Amino acid sequence: MKLSHIFGIVVIALAIGIIVATAGDASSYVTFKQATELAKDGDDKMIHVVGKVQKDAQGRITDMLYDPAIDPNHFEFTLIDNDQRAQKVVYNSPKPQDFDRSEQIVVIGAMQGDHFQCNKILLKCPSKYQDGKLETTEHEAKTAQL
């Protein structure tokens, strides 16, 4: 067998190994109902939940708790997933800067008891530069423990 053939087989084997290793770490998009079921089954892997914050008739966010004078690393809010289920979300970092403007939110974390413990928030906000387009920003908790 030629040396180039052996080298090619080794490269292909490494590529397959990398794909298999990263596929096991990939998190999935679920609803809060599915997240609760996963937590009951003892599955503690990271999951994504997509939703919108709960707002009143005037467009102000309701059920949001953030007081930096008391604890700047504790932020709670209610998120409504795609199945219209409302769930309390706890984020152990400061409130993201454009949270109030966001159209859609993706929280990454796991269910813990009666709330969703989030360690990363992805915000999809209306772009200030182009009408009708969404701008995505990512915020990660530095102190969250899952």
Side-chain angles (χ1 to χ4, degrees), residues 74-107:
H74 185 82
F75 176 47
E76 290 182 17
F77 59 95
T78 300
L79 188 70
I80 301 172
D81 67 8
N82 292 336
D83 288 345
Q84 303 306 310
R85 179 176 173 177
Q87 180 68 48
K88 180 171 85 169
V89 177
V90 176
Y91 181 57
N92 292 329
S93 275
K95 181 177 102 171
Q97 182 178 0
D98 293 332
F99 187 83
D100 299 331
R101 296 185 328 120
S102 62
E103 295 287 324
Q104 190 175 37
I105 296 173
V106 178
V107 290

Side-chain angles (χ1 to χ4, degrees), residues 102-120:
S102 62
E103 295 287 324
Q104 190 175 37
I105 296 173
V106 178
V107 290
I108 303 170
M111 288 297 294
Q112 289 186 352
D114 66 338
H115 70 278
F116 186 86
Q117 183 64 45
C118 165
N119 71 345
K120 192 181 281 189

